[in-house]
Amino acid sequence: AVTEDDTIIVNTGAYNADGSIKWSRAVNNAVIDPHGTGRVYSSDLNVSAIDLANGLDSWVFNPDGAISYSPAIGEDKTLYFGDSDGVFYAVGQDGIERWRFNISGRVNTGTPVIAPDGSIYVLFSDGSGDERLYALASDGTLKWTFRVGLGSTAPVVGADGTVYITTNTMTALNPDGTIKWSVVTFRNGRASSAIDIDGTLLAPLRSTLFALDVETGGLASSAWPMRRQNLRNTAVIVAP
């Protein structure tokens, strides 16, 4: 990923535009804050707010369990992420926990996404194949859940608020959690869908790419409507 000042961030550290090393350290499951705070957030056993200028921690948040997926960042700069102990967190820019939601006996299996109304969608599994999509309000209260079986690593939200989740069935959910439509694909496997600018839902499943005209108006204009934030994956840091 490349920041606004042309700093290049990879999972081993930061480089200046001329290729020289700016700082070196491990950066895991990380995202660049898109709000201009000058921070990158690294997550594994904890969440570290790293200063892009020097690579030092501004703060460290210690969850109950390990974190396997990168956080999502809301319009108000709140970080959202789940852990391996079945706890979902909202943490402010100061590193202080705003709220937590406990999902007993389940493990976070995907990056959260955020809807235009501030709702947060995240997948948790009990390890037996019973995977559920949880819809939380911005204050951490539960709105609804939807059983997806063995699902994707993240849902995607359309401009009209429709939530799309891909398993061996592609399902569109209304914002209230009711089914809008579903299409059986007969293709098992974990995949994250995307919505193109023309409103086409793209879902890679094994060796097949499904493309459906869902007439949703494109990707939602929220802060984090899909895994890796947007179609360009601009906030996500990957290996060089």
Side-chain angles (χ1 to χ4, degrees):
V2 181
T3 66
E4 292 180 354
D5 66 353
D6 292 330
T7 298
I8 303 165
I9 310 292
V10 295
N11 64 347
T12 56
Y15 295 82
N16 296 304
D18 62 4
S20 59
I21 297 174
K22 189 169 187 176
W23 46 263
S24 296
R25 63 173 292 177
V27 182
N28 302 307
N29 300 317
V31 293
I32 295 173
D33 193 325
H35 299 295
T37 61
R39 288 176 177 169
V40 58
Y41 297 100
S42 176
S43 54
D44 43 32
L45 297 178
N46 52 43
V47 176
S48 300
I50 303 171
D51 190 326
L52 284 171
N54 54 31
L56 300 178
D57 290 334
S58 296
W59 51 259
V60 176
F61 178 84
N62 294 298
D64 292 346
I67 303 169
S68 299
Y69 295 88
S70 56
I73 305 175
E75 294 284 359
D76 63 354
K77 305 177 184 178
T78 299
L79 277 70
Y80 299 101
F81 53 91
D83 71 11
S84 58
D85 283 358
V87 183
F88 188 77
Y89 303 87
V91 175
Q93 284 286 303
D94 52 6
I96 297 175
E97 182 179 314
R98 296 291 187 263
W99 51 259
R100 66 170 58 192
F101 182 81
N102 291 287
I103 307 173
S104 178
R106 292 182 177 267
V107 176
N108 177 220
T109 59
T111 297
V113 299
I114 302 171
D117 65 356
S119 297
I120 305 123
Y121 301 109
V122 62
L123 287 163
F124 274 83
S125 172
D126 66 359
S128 69
D130 182 18
E131 195 160 280
R132 290 183 178 272
L133 179 68
Y134 287 76
L136 304 176
S138 58
D139 63 358
T141 56
L142 178 66
K143 299 177 68 175
W144 49 263
T145 69
F146 181 82
R147 187 180 184 278
V148 299
L150 184 61
S152 72
T153 54
V156 59
V157 184
D160 61 355
T162 301
V163 185
Y164 300 93
I165 190 78
T166 302
T167 60
N168 59 354
T169 300
M170 299 172 68
T171 303
L173 301 174
N174 293 305
D176 63 0
T178 57
I179 297 176
K180 191 172 185 177
W181 54 257
S182 63
V183 176
V184 178
T185 65
F186 299 104
R187 297 286 195 281
N188 290 318
R190 303 187 65 85
S192 292
S193 301
I195 301 173
D196 203 349
I197 56 175
D198 64 358
T200 301
L201 176 65
L202 302 170
L205 287 174
R206 292 197 176 179
S207 58
T208 304
L209 176 64
F210 289 83
L212 279 70
D213 184 2
V214 293
E215 299 181 350
T216 191
L219 196 62
S221 59
S222 60
W224 218 276
M226 62 176 289
R227 183 174 180 245
R228 299 185 171 181
Q229 190 192 16
N230 53 40
L231 291 172
R232 296 179 61 195
N233 297 340
T234 51
V236 176
I237 296 164
V238 297

